[in-house]
Amino acid sequence: MKTALITGVTGQDGSYLAENLLKKQNYKHVIGLVRRRSADGVNRLEQIQTHPALTIMQGELEDAGLLARLFSVYRIDECYNLAAQSFVRYSFDNPVATAMTNYIGVINLLEAIRHHSPNTRYYQASTSEMFGGLTEEYLSENHSFHPRSPYGTSKLAAYWHAVNMREAYGLFTCNGILFNHESPRRGSEFVTQKIAAAAVRFRAWKNSGGMGEPPVLRLGNLEARRDWGHAQDYVEGMRLMLQEEEPGDYVLATGQAHSVRDFVELSFAHPEVGVKIRWKGEGLNEVGSDADGRVLVAIDPVHYRPSEVHVLLGDWKKARECLGWKPQFSFEDMVDQMIRAQVARREGHGPTA
Ligand code: NAP
Ligand code: G4F
């Protein structure tokens, strides 16, 4: 019977991972690290908040002393480090805060493990952003890195720190190099959730009689392509990595890329929304309209990034062969789930996150 610590438990992945572990027979205790908020920040834990095997502890990755105490007091078998400043756009304006959580926080955690609990198995939430998106190739664990944002550089530093602790001190550290994964619990500023919310906002406008102008979805780069999977599949992959005999680094991806434009078209074409988007114009002047010529999508350069990650496409062969991992949700299933969850939320009968 194991004890697991999840940092970032209030996030998209952390909440799914906590549910995943609590459903398994062999976890007697799941500890979730939560940072203090001025308002309630545990919406995504609605379904498990009162589970007897879940303990919520307050703390942040920047607090080395707290982490040391945590690993001295509890016998933690597995540590999943999912806490991060995870929004790429924000990292350009806030590089130091991003590095403090995403890199220094990882040093703090691994020092606590090294000194107080060297047998703890450690999962590091690494990312396809480390590759930088300058090539159309399928990206595997062996591909070189070229991060294109302060977020990417902070995550790459953390990646190498986890590898170094494995090589220097024999710690059981794994990097999950995860490509984008989404779900109804995705944060509202990420492009997929932003699009799903906008499509459903348009549906509400239409259903209430369509008076005045429809709401406009303002986006940045429509041509960016991502290998989008479903978060519930990916948290299972994280768990599997820590069950292996030897530590290692694994890509989790689907092997299919879609553009932001594809995501818009599919979301608005969803049966709940029912609009075929027609594109007109170029660059900053491009707009997406409905059959009556009403503008529903426009470009706002504020969403462009100083340097863009153009395309990410993952090769997940190692995860398939070594972990037996395989994504279960298709891209279309995921979009469908996100739209339906937005509809339920808007109509007041869905989970709040
Ligand atoms: P998310 O929804 O943004 O969740 C991030 C979590 O980290 C939240 O619980 C957040 O707390 C917590 N956190 C932030 N700063 C913290 C700090 N200083 N101390 C303690 N906790 C802190 O992210 P996600 O999508 O679940 O992603 C999970 C991890 O995987 C992240 O490390 C992310 O960088 C990485 N990743 C994500 C993807 C993806 O596509 N989702 C792909 C590759 C890698 P609050 O709730 O208080 O904000
Ligand atoms: O949804 P995004 O903000 O996700 P991004 O930057 O790919 O990062 C996510 O995935 C990473 C894994 O590769 C994680 F490590 C990271 O933590 C995070 O979860 O943007 C996706 C793409 C970008 O190319 C962006 O330029 O969508 C483009 N985009 C176009 N318009 C937009 C918008 N992104 C956002 N957030 N908002 C827009 O209006």
Side-chain angles (χ1 to χ4, degrees), residues 10-13 35 37 62 82-84 86 151 155 178 181:
T10 55
Q12 170 187 257
D13 292 5
R35 59 178 172 166
R37 289 260 196 95
E62 290 80 350
L82 309 185
S86 72
Y151 169 81
K155 283 287 187 174
L178 271 49
H181 44 280

Side-chain angles (χ1 to χ4, degrees), residues 9-11 14-16 18-19 34 41-50 54 56 185 353:
V9 74
T10 55
S15 59
Y16 280 126
E19 281 170 24
V34 174
V42 293
N43 293 352
R44 295 181 177 114
L45 301 180
E46 261 171 17
Q47 296 172 33
I48 50 171
Q49 217 167 356
T50 55
L54 179 71
I56 295 297
R185 295 188 190 172

Side-chain angles (χ1 to χ4, degrees), residues 113-155:
I113 290 175
R114 180 161 80 90
H115 291 295
H116 301 285
S117 185
N119 293 325
T120 297
R121 294 181 166 212
Y122 177 85
Y123 173 86
Q124 170 58 22
S126 289
T127 164
S128 49
E129 275 288 309
M130 300 185 312
F131 293 122
L134 293 169
T135 165
E136 298 270 338
E137 285 165 85
Y138 285 90
L139 302 163
S140 76
E141 299 78 5
N142 303 319
H143 201 280
S144 57
F145 297 119
H146 182 156
R148 302 256 297 159
S149 64
Y151 169 81
T153 55
S154 70
K155 283 287 187 174

Side-chain angles (χ1 to χ4, degrees), residues 86 127-128 151 180 186 189 191 194 220 224 226 305 308:
S86 72
T127 164
S128 49
Y151 169 81
N180 297 51
R186 187 54 144 151
E189 71 273 63
V191 78
K194 185 173 164 181
R226 291 291 184 273
R305 293 171 183 188
E308 175 63 289

Side-chain angles (χ1 to χ4, degrees), residues 72-214:
S72 322
V73 170
Y74 293 99
R75 186 181 166 280
I76 294 169
D77 302 289
E78 297 176 358
C79 170
Y80 297 88
N81 180 31
L82 309 185
Q85 189 306 91
S86 72
F87 191 36
V88 173
R89 183 68 192 80
Y90 180 90
S91 76
F92 284 99
D93 299 325
N94 297 275
V96 175
T98 301
M100 288 304 291
T101 305
N102 296 6
Y103 179 38
I104 303 300
V106 171
I107 297 179
N108 288 340
L109 256 180
L110 284 168
E111 284 298 280
I113 290 175
R114 180 161 80 90
H115 291 295
H116 301 285
S117 185
N119 293 325
T120 297
R121 294 181 166 212
Y122 177 85
Y123 173 86
Q124 170 58 22
S126 289
T127 164
S128 49
E129 275 288 309
M130 300 185 312
F131 293 122
L134 293 169
T135 165
E136 298 270 338
E137 285 165 85
Y138 285 90
L139 302 163
S140 76
E141 299 78 5
N142 303 319
H143 201 280
S144 57
F145 297 119
H146 182 156
R148 302 256 297 159
S149 64
Y151 169 81
T153 55
S154 70
K155 283 287 187 174
L156 186 56
Y159 166 95
W160 282 119
H161 189 66
V163 172
N164 181 242
M165 291 295 102
R166 182 163 80 210
E167 292 175 355
Y169 300 109
L171 297 188
F172 193 109
T173 61
C174 293
N175 281 291
I177 307 173
L178 271 49
F179 284 62
N180 297 51
H181 44 280
E182 319 294 309
S183 74
R185 295 188 190 172
R186 187 54 144 151
S188 56
E189 71 273 63
F190 297 96
V191 78
T192 54
Q193 190 72 294
K194 185 173 164 181
I195 296 169
V200 173
R201 204 161 43 242
F202 171 74
R203 170 188 181 272
W205 173 84
K206 196 176 63 168
N207 289 352
S208 66
M211 302 294 281
E213 293 300 312

